[in-house]
Every structure is written in C-alpha cells, then in structure tokens.
Amino acid sequence: MTKRHLLFNLSIIIFPWLTLLFIGKKSFKRYSWAGIFVVLFEIINHLYGNRRGWWKFYDKRKLFIKDELPFSIGPYMPLFMWLLKVSYGNFKKYIMLNVISDGIFAFIVMDILKKFKIIRLNRLNRIQFFIYIHYKAYLLYGFQYLLEKIKSFLSYKRTQETV
C-alpha cells in the first residue's frame, strides 16, 4: 500500500468518526443501529461491486481490507447518522441532503480520488455510481422508521402493562 493510500484510508476513517463526538449521546444511541445497518449493508454492496469490477484501485495488490473496507467503516456510518439527526422526520429534507452529499461524492470527490490515483470508476459511469450510492438512503430511512415504530410500540406496551 502506498503512503498516500494509507494516509487516505486513515483520514476517511478517523475524521468522520471524530465528528460523532459532537452529535450528542442521545442522538448517537438513537441512530447507531441504523448506522450499523448501513455499514453492514455497505460491506455487502462493496463486495458485490468489487466482484463486478465497478471500480479500480490504483494499488497493484488488491485487498478488500485496504481498498473498500475503509469506505464502509469510515464515512458512511457517521455521515448517515448526521443526516438522520438533522433531517429525520422531514423526508424531503433527508432526501435533498442525501442527493447533495451523494452528488458531491459521485461527481466531485471521485474525480479527486482519481487525480490522486486512489480509485477510479471502471464499469460504471457517474450517474450509475450516484444511483449505486444514493438508493441506500431510502433503505436507511425505512430502517430507522421501523426502529422508531418498534420502540414506540414497545414503550406503549410497557405503559399498558404497568396500568
């Protein structure tokens, strides 16, 4: 692994997670299950995309742990937790924020990563890649919605049992 790739991997893991120090304990607890869900789902997506050759990393030695995994455990969980915190309950706002963040990644950040010879798209164009990263926003919101419904049902049931 090149020094540039190692520094990049460390930065995309450490900096997003450091932002969670400011999200608040209550919000962290509320959205952490959805965050874990998105990380696990993203790992599966990355394995599939890697197998299909949708992108190429410039380092010669191909390893999921050093290539795709930092993207899965680094920015996704903190980003989605922040997006849920600032917009949950307002679906239009949530989708708009996701379109903006996914668009920035697909159309700007990917060019930067290509310029620094870290990763480039291979069998996907930018619009296909945008759809690939954006569709998960709907799944995540639905997952959080189901969690909220289950919590509210369990809370209601507990109050009924005490009465």
Side-chain angles (χ1 to χ4, degrees):
M1 178 184 317
T2 65
K3 185 178 180 179
R4 177 181 59 242
H5 197 147
L6 177 64
L7 289 172
F8 173 76
N9 284 352
L10 290 174
S11 68
I12 67 168
I13 293 170
I14 294 169
F15 293 126
W17 279 90
L18 284 176
T19 68
L20 291 180
L21 294 171
F22 306 103
I23 201 168
K25 186 177 180 178
K26 186 177 179 182
S27 293
F28 185 84
K29 284 177 70 175
R30 181 178 182 188
Y31 301 120
S32 61
W33 285 109
I36 292 168
F37 169 76
V38 80
V39 166
L40 295 174
F41 193 77
E42 194 58 36
I43 287 171
I44 293 166
N45 274 273
H46 281 161
L47 288 169
Y48 182 77
N50 184 13
R51 183 169 294 157
R52 304 284 296 177
W54 288 347
W55 48 76
K56 278 200 185 253
F57 284 86
Y58 283 90
D59 284 350
K60 294 294 179 206
R61 198 158 167 243
K62 308 287 184 234
L63 288 174
F64 178 78
I65 291 173
K66 74 168 182 59
D67 292 336
E68 285 90 357
L69 190 62
F71 284 95
S72 299
I73 63 174
Y76 287 112
M77 183 171 176
L79 175 64
F80 279 115
M81 288 175 69
W82 276 107
L83 291 174
L84 285 170
K85 178 186 170 86
V86 301
S87 64
Y88 187 74
N90 185 342
F91 187 69
K92 287 180 185 179
K93 182 178 179 181
Y94 173 79
I95 292 302
M96 185 56 65
L97 289 173
N98 269 279
V99 165
I100 292 167
S101 64
D102 294 339
I104 289 170
F105 188 76
F107 296 100
I108 297 171
V109 173
M110 284 304 288
D111 284 343
I112 294 168
L113 296 177
K114 183 178 179 180
K115 184 178 180 180
F116 284 107
K117 297 199 181 289
I118 293 180
I119 186 175
R120 67 178 170 83
L121 294 177
N122 188 36
R123 292 188 172 168
L124 294 177
N125 63 39
R126 291 179 189 180
I127 293 173
Q128 290 169 324
F129 184 68
F130 171 80
I131 293 167
Y132 163 78
I133 59 177
H134 182 69
Y135 86 91
K136 297 168 211 133
Y138 301 93
L139 294 174
L140 181 66
Y141 197 90
F143 184 83
Q144 184 64 34
Y145 181 81
L146 285 174
L147 282 178
E148 299 283 331
K149 289 294 184 190
I150 291 168
K151 285 178 189 176
S152 117
F153 174 75
L154 293 175
S155 174
Y156 173 76
K157 195 170 181 178
R158 270 188 241 119
T159 58
Q160 291 300 316
E161 290 173 356
T162 58
V163 172

